[in-house]
Amino acid sequence: MKTYLNPSKEKWEQLTKRPELKAQDLNELVASIFQTVEKLGDAGVRGYTTRFDQVEIFDPKVTSQEIDQACDLVPQKLKDAIETAEKNIRRFHTTQAITETTVETQNGVKCWRETRAIEKVGLYIPGGTAPLFSTVLMLGIPAQIAGCDRIVLCTPPSKDGSINPAILFAAQLVGITEIYKVGGVQAIAALAQGTESIPKVDKIFGPGNQYVTAAKSFALTKGVAIDMPAGPSEVLVIADETSDPSFVAADLLSQAEHGADSQVILLSTSEIMLNRVQTEIEVQLASLPRMEIAIDALNNSSFIQLETLQECLELSNKYAPEHLILAFDSAKEFITQITNAGSVFIGKYSCESAGDYASGTNHTLPTNGYARNYSGVSLDSFIKKITFQELSASGIQTLGPAIEIMAEAEQLIAHKNAVSIRLKALANA
Amino acid sequence: MKTYLNPSKEKWEQLTKRPELKAQDLNELVASIFQTVEKLGDAGVRGYTTRFDQVEIFDPKVTSQEIDQACDLVPQKLKDAIETAEKNIRRFHTTQAITETTVETQNGVKCWRETRAIEKVGLYIPGGTAPLFSTVLMLGIPAQIAGCDRIVLCTPPSKDGSINPAILFAAQLVGITEIYKVGGVQAIAALAQGTESIPKVDKIFGPGNQYVTAAKSFALTKGVAIDMPAGPSEVLVIADETSDPSFVAADLLSQAEHGADSQVILLSTSEIMLNRVQTEIEVQLASLPRMEIAIDALNNSSFIQLETLQECLELSNKYAPEHLILAFDSAKEFITQITNAGSVFIGKYSCESAGDYASGTNHTLPTNGYARNYSGVSLDSFIKKITFQELSASGIQTLGPAIEIMAEAEQLIAHKNAVSIRLKALANA
């Protein structure tokens, strides 16, 4: 990692830049898979599954027997843990449902908003060695609270054609029963366009590798919405002399083990703390199974000493981290200064893993600086808000003349007429 | 227009399809303008203004004198009308600000969300013959209520280098003072990348022609967010025998005059009503200045008779109209059946022009079927929601073991360690 002591503000721009991603253009590959799936439907999907996942799947839909069997395979301790997380995530996301009141903007003119679930949503859960059942909870629970009509889950099969039992357990726990053994670009292509068995959805959620990410961007051109643009995961920790260096090191490592491209930044007012965290990292790193990935990520990371906590917050806002940990005693005093972040962890016992799994907040968050202009996934991500207005006769009589004047000034005379014709009818009534 | 009497449900798919847009690929042109603006900054923008707007603008920033002078030029009646609209829009959008409560998901684990304004936003207002000052209100008011730090407005200059006075009046009314005489792709390129005088913003809002629309999509690749994907404007009206055919005709025409590609659909349980509306359209059409545009739009429109109002709502939900007018007496009983729409107008006095200008709701709405997966612009469009969590010592002690089990099952051992190291420290304390 690189250490910077009191860098001048001119250098901040450089320090808050993400490393350039290798701009591998996957568009052509993605477009051709979309085209094949559009043309051949299930058969097209099947071909790619055989090719990429090395298994022949004739009926991609997971049966209820498979779900039952999987649930039997999950150890009770893991089931209990997942149920604890499920309860907390449900509790927090349930409070995000709000009913807005009707506003009478002027006499006889009532305006309000109502919430409707997005009807069909597709959740993508990556496969591979680490089964991300936690993401099933993070996407499935708000989808289910929102009341989406159809919640479709796609996840790649392993070489023996099975799905990790914990994924199926988490899915049935949150009430998802429509699960397809389909992964990669072909899964996104199927969700975006529909096949004989997989429905075309309105919005696609979920993490994935660069291929899945490229496919989700491409899905936008098919009229489908996506949760948010994706990038490597990242954490920024702010520490002062009250922080615990072993806790800070553990948090930085838990981010670093995600992937070689993970971003890890430590800001501190104390140079001694930076050194102590570095020493702690070396100690803890040694016993990690994913040590090599973590070392790669740490090579890109920065340790930065700044004069004041205020400055640390300022730099953090410029960086706009996905995860922000305020690992010092006076953390709460600095909350109002946070302007750009995905999810924030307050105080020394609030580790990122808590939010990743079980505190109740969502772990699908904006990366790559997108915390400047996007929120993380929440109940809001699964609904639309429709506006309504109701004008009474007296409402249009009071407001109508202003509309006529404005419409005429914009040279939209039919817009004006729609008011005039009503005012005339009322005058003659 | 085409009339369909009791089409079978198999035909609905076809009836709710938008006409294919001419897929003119503007990507190369847009990319080259972005590149030039990135390289040459203001000088690049100036070159395009000279070329496309046929006027040389040396300093694109509108001065406070220009704003003052413009305000003097706006007739008092128009000023009063704009102020009426401003008050209603402000009243409705102010109620969209909400403070959420903190949830203790379990003992010692507190979760909450806080709202922060998106710091820098760019508002694009098209130029041309009809000055869209109403869009200045619709975008500027929620941006200002949200508390965006920097609200930047770009609009193309007319050939004499001026901006329509009503646009400048509306801007100063909502507190926007940073206005640039820049339009087209070069305006979006400047907002997305920044120049010496125009700041790079976090999110770009506003309507525009196909070039501006293509530029906004391209801006997404630069890390900038946009309000929503764009398409031609549209209205769907549902009428029964209680509807007033002249009102319905006026509403259909006010949509049709927007552009030749506007979409206009009328659903009715009464064939007589369809015929009466058609007759009324012919009468009203004759006196419209934009008659030819309206005729083009009407050529693509559909009049559909269905058995029941329920069926009308069902077809409407499938179409997902930007504007939905329930122009019949029992409208309120059908509100809960609406699942996909941008903005809804209830009853015979609620004409679309009311929402376009002054009722209080926003007129920047999802088109082209995007009402299935997007909401219209609101206060929400100008904010992010950041999640927070705070675990106490007893909070991590209670929740920690579940996190450890889940992290281990996902094979993320550093995630587990971040908890274990805290539990150990607490046990030894």
Side-chain angles (χ1 to χ4, degrees):
Chain A
M1 72 204 69
K2 284 177 195 138
T3 303
Y4 304 88
L5 301 180
N6 275 313
S8 68
K9 286 209 177 174
E10 294 84 66
K11 286 201 185 133
W12 285 20
E13 190 72 43
Q14 193 54 40
L15 290 174
T16 54
K17 268 212 176 121
R18 267 76 177 174
E20 285 284 330
L21 290 176
K22 284 171 223 133
Q24 204 188 335
D25 194 359
L26 304 171
N27 239 2
E28 253 179 68
L29 172 68
V30 166
S32 91
I33 295 177
F34 265 68
Q35 214 167 27
T36 304
V37 170
E38 189 179 16
K39 219 164 69 186
L40 303 181
D42 284 339
V45 171
R46 195 183 309 133
Y48 289 115
T49 302
T50 308
R51 189 159 132 203
F52 296 131
D53 301 307
Q54 291 157 34
V55 55
E56 280 210 271
I57 302 280
F58 287 98
D59 183 356
K61 189 161 184 185
V62 174
T63 64
S64 59
Q65 287 100 309
E66 279 176 289
I67 296 174
D68 291 346
Q69 283 163 6
C71 292
D72 290 342
L73 288 173
V74 178
Q76 192 56 45
K77 267 175 68 173
L78 180 55
K79 281 186 184 171
D80 294 343
I82 292 175
E83 279 168 10
T84 297
E86 199 272 343
K87 275 197 201 92
N88 288 348
I89 298 165
R90 180 173 297 278
R91 202 163 286 154
F92 184 54
H93 286 74
T94 300
T95 63
Q96 293 166 4
I98 37 158
T99 311
E100 295 177 27
T101 51
T102 298
V103 184
E104 195 153 1
T105 52
Q106 60 180 70
N107 256 339
V109 181
K110 286 183 191 158
C111 299
W112 70 97
R113 293 202 295 181
E114 294 189 19
T115 287
R116 296 292 186 273
I118 295 177
E119 289 177 6
K120 288 180 241 168
V121 296
L123 315 184
Y124 185 81
I125 306 296
T129 48
L132 293 186
F133 56 81
S134 59
T135 303
V136 177
L137 303 180
M138 295 294 177
L139 300 177
I141 293 169
Q144 201 259 331
I145 297 171
C148 299
D149 264 1
R150 207 158 169 187
I151 306 172
V152 180
L153 192 155
C154 283
T155 189
S158 53
K159 283 184 195 167
D160 65 0
S162 70
I163 303 289
N164 185 288
I167 287 180
L168 295 181
F169 172 75
Q172 66 78 33
L173 183 66
V174 303
I176 300 174
T177 52
E178 189 169 359
I179 305 168
Y180 297 97
K181 297 176 187 176
V182 181
V185 177
Q186 63 271 25
I188 307 300
L191 291 169
Q193 303 175 124
T195 68
E196 304 93 301
S197 44
I198 301 173
K200 174 176 169 51
V201 300
D202 302 314
K203 192 168 182 178
I204 298 174
F205 294 80
N209 58 21
Q210 55 180 334
Y211 294 93
V212 170
T213 300
K216 281 173 65 188
S217 291
F218 194 82
L220 285 174
T221 66
K222 301 284 174 185
V224 179
I226 63 170
D227 46 2
M228 68 187 84
S233 190
E234 57 201 25
V235 71
L236 187 149
V237 181
I238 301 179
D240 68 8
E241 66 289 345
T242 67
S243 306
D244 183 313
S246 68
F247 295 2
V248 173
D251 291 341
L252 295 174
L253 284 169
S254 74
Q255 188 57 53
E257 78 170 342
H258 266 301
D261 56 1
S262 279
Q263 289 286 301
V264 166
I265 295 183
L266 174 61
L267 308 182
S268 181
T269 48
S270 154
E271 193 185 341
I272 298 169
M273 181 56 61
L274 292 181
N275 293 331
R276 291 179 66 190
V277 172
Q278 193 154 350
T279 308
E280 265 296 331
I281 283 180
E282 280 154 29
V283 174
Q284 294 180 28
L285 192 56
S287 63
L288 287 184
R290 293 166 74 93
M291 177 172 68
E292 283 174 32
I293 291 173
I295 288 174
D296 280 349
L298 289 170
N299 281 338
N300 293 321
S301 70
S302 307
F303 276 36
I304 305 173
Q305 192 224 327
L306 293 168
E307 278 294 310
T308 62
L309 286 170
Q310 195 118 3
E311 278 190 338
C312 293
L313 265 297
E314 217 178 298
L315 193 146
S316 171
N317 286 331
K318 232 177 147 56
Y319 180 75
E322 179 191 13
H323 303 99
L324 169 61
I325 304 180
L326 303 189
F328 51 93
D329 284 350
S330 59
K332 283 185 112 165
E333 295 165 30
F334 289 84
I335 288 176
T336 55
Q337 291 183 34
I338 300 167
T339 55
N340 297 319
S343 194
V344 184
F345 301 78
I346 302 291
K348 70 167 97 177
Y349 296 116
S350 304
C351 51
E352 192 199 305
S353 330
D356 286 343
Y357 288 108
S359 66
T361 62
N362 208 291
H363 79 193
T364 310
L365 297 165
T367 54
N368 209 21
Y370 281 112
R372 275 189 292 269
N373 37 22
Y374 288 84
S375 309
V377 163
S378 72
L379 188 62
D380 307 343
S381 314
F382 294 88
I383 58 167
K384 299 109 44 180
K385 289 182 183 166
I386 302 178
T387 51
F388 289 80
Q389 50 249 288
E390 186 185 19
L391 283 79
S392 66
S394 79
I396 191 73
Q397 283 175 315
T398 320
L399 188 57
I403 302 170
E404 291 179 306
I405 292 166
M406 290 174 78
E408 187 161 4
E410 287 194 354
Q411 299 168 33
L412 295 171
I413 301 306
H415 281 66
K416 181 188 176 190
N417 284 354
V419 173
S420 311
I421 206 164
R422 286 168 165 94
L423 295 184
K424 223 172 286 169
L426 285 166
N428 294 336
Chain B
M1 74 204 65
K2 285 177 193 137
T3 303
Y4 304 88
L5 300 179
N6 275 314
S8 68
K9 287 210 178 176
E10 293 85 67
K11 285 200 186 136
W12 285 20
E13 191 72 43
Q14 194 53 41
L15 290 174
T16 54
K17 268 212 177 124
R18 268 75 178 175
E20 285 283 331
L21 291 176
K22 283 170 222 134
Q24 203 188 337
D25 194 357
L26 303 171
N27 240 1
E28 252 178 68
L29 173 67
V30 167
S32 90
I33 295 177
F34 265 68
Q35 214 168 27
T36 305
V37 170
E38 189 179 15
K39 220 166 67 186
L40 303 181
D42 283 338
V45 171
R46 195 184 308 135
Y48 290 115
T49 302
T50 308
R51 191 160 132 201
F52 296 130
D53 301 307
Q54 290 157 34
V55 54
E56 280 210 90
I57 301 280
F58 286 99
D59 182 357
K61 189 161 184 185
V62 174
T63 64
S64 57
Q65 285 100 311
E66 281 177 288
I67 296 174
D68 291 346
Q69 282 163 8
C71 293
D72 290 342
L73 289 172
V74 178
Q76 191 57 45
K77 267 175 67 174
L78 181 55
K79 280 185 185 172
D80 293 344
I82 293 176
E83 279 169 10
T84 297
E86 199 272 344
K87 276 198 201 91
N88 288 348
I89 298 165
R90 180 173 297 277
R91 202 164 286 154
F92 184 54
H93 286 74
T94 300
T95 63
Q96 293 165 3
I98 37 158
T99 311
E100 295 177 26
T101 52
T102 299
V103 185
E104 193 152 2
T105 51
Q106 62 179 70
N107 256 339
V109 181
K110 286 183 191 159
C111 299
W112 71 98
R113 293 202 295 180
E114 294 189 21
T115 287
R116 296 290 186 274
I118 295 177
E119 289 177 5
K120 288 180 242 168
V121 296
L123 316 183
Y124 185 81
I125 306 295
T129 47
L132 293 186
F133 55 82
S134 59
T135 304
V136 178
L137 302 180
M138 295 294 177
L139 301 178
I141 293 169
Q144 202 259 329
I145 297 171
C148 299
D149 264 0
R150 206 157 170 186
I151 306 172
V152 180
L153 192 154
C154 283
T155 189
S158 53
K159 283 184 193 163
D160 66 0
S162 70
I163 304 290
N164 185 288
I167 287 181
L168 295 182
F169 173 75
Q172 65 79 33
L173 183 66
V174 303
I176 300 173
T177 52
E178 190 170 357
I179 304 168
Y180 297 96
K181 297 176 186 175
V182 181
V185 178
Q186 62 272 25
I188 307 300
L191 291 169
Q193 304 174 122
T195 68
E196 304 92 300
S197 45
I198 301 173
K200 174 178 169 52
V201 300
D202 302 314
K203 192 167 182 178
I204 298 173
F205 295 79
N209 58 22
Q210 54 178 337
Y211 294 93
V212 170
T213 299
K216 280 173 66 189
S217 290
F218 194 81
L220 285 173
T221 65
K222 301 286 174 182
V224 180
I226 63 170
D227 46 2
M228 69 186 82
S233 191
E234 57 201 25
V235 71
L236 187 149
V237 181
I238 301 179
D240 69 7
E241 66 289 345
T242 67
S243 305
D244 183 313
S246 69
F247 295 1
V248 172
D251 291 340
L252 295 173
L253 284 169
S254 75
Q255 188 58 52
E257 77 170 342
H258 266 300
D261 55 2
S262 278
Q263 290 285 302
V264 166
I265 296 182
L266 174 62
L267 308 182
S268 182
T269 48
S270 154
E271 194 185 342
I272 298 170
M273 181 57 60
L274 291 182
N275 294 331
R276 292 179 65 190
V277 171
Q278 195 155 350
T279 309
E280 266 295 331
I281 282 180
E282 280 154 29
V283 174
Q284 294 181 27
L285 193 55
S287 63
L288 286 185
R290 294 165 73 93
M291 176 173 69
E292 284 175 33
I293 291 172
I295 289 174
D296 280 349
L298 289 169
N299 282 338
N300 292 321
S301 70
S302 307
F303 276 35
I304 305 172
Q305 192 224 329
L306 294 168
E307 279 294 310
T308 62
L309 285 171
Q310 195 118 3
E311 276 190 337
C312 293
L313 266 296
E314 216 179 300
L315 193 145
S316 171
N317 286 331
K318 233 178 147 54
Y319 180 75
E322 179 191 13
H323 304 99
L324 169 61
I325 304 180
L326 303 189
F328 51 93
D329 284 350
S330 60
K332 282 184 111 165
E333 295 164 28
F334 289 84
I335 288 176
T336 56
Q337 290 183 35
I338 300 166
T339 54
N340 297 321
S343 195
V344 185
F345 301 79
I346 302 291
K348 69 169 95 175
Y349 296 116
S350 305
C351 52
E352 191 199 307
S353 330
D356 286 342
Y357 289 109
S359 66
T361 62
N362 209 290
H363 78 194
T364 310
L365 297 165
T367 54
N368 208 21
Y370 281 112
R372 275 189 291 269
N373 38 22
Y374 288 86
S375 309
V377 163
S378 71
L379 189 61
D380 307 343
S381 314
F382 294 88
I383 59 167
K384 299 109 45 178
K385 288 181 183 166
I386 303 177
T387 50
F388 290 81
Q389 50 249 289
E390 186 185 19
L391 283 80
S392 65
S394 78
I396 191 74
Q397 282 174 316
T398 320
L399 187 57
I403 302 169
E404 290 179 306
I405 292 165
M406 292 174 77
E408 187 161 4
E410 287 194 357
Q411 298 167 35
L412 295 171
I413 301 307
H415 281 67
K416 180 187 176 191
N417 284 354
V419 174
S420 311
I421 206 163
R422 284 168 166 93
L423 295 184
K424 221 172 286 168
L426 285 166
N428 294 335

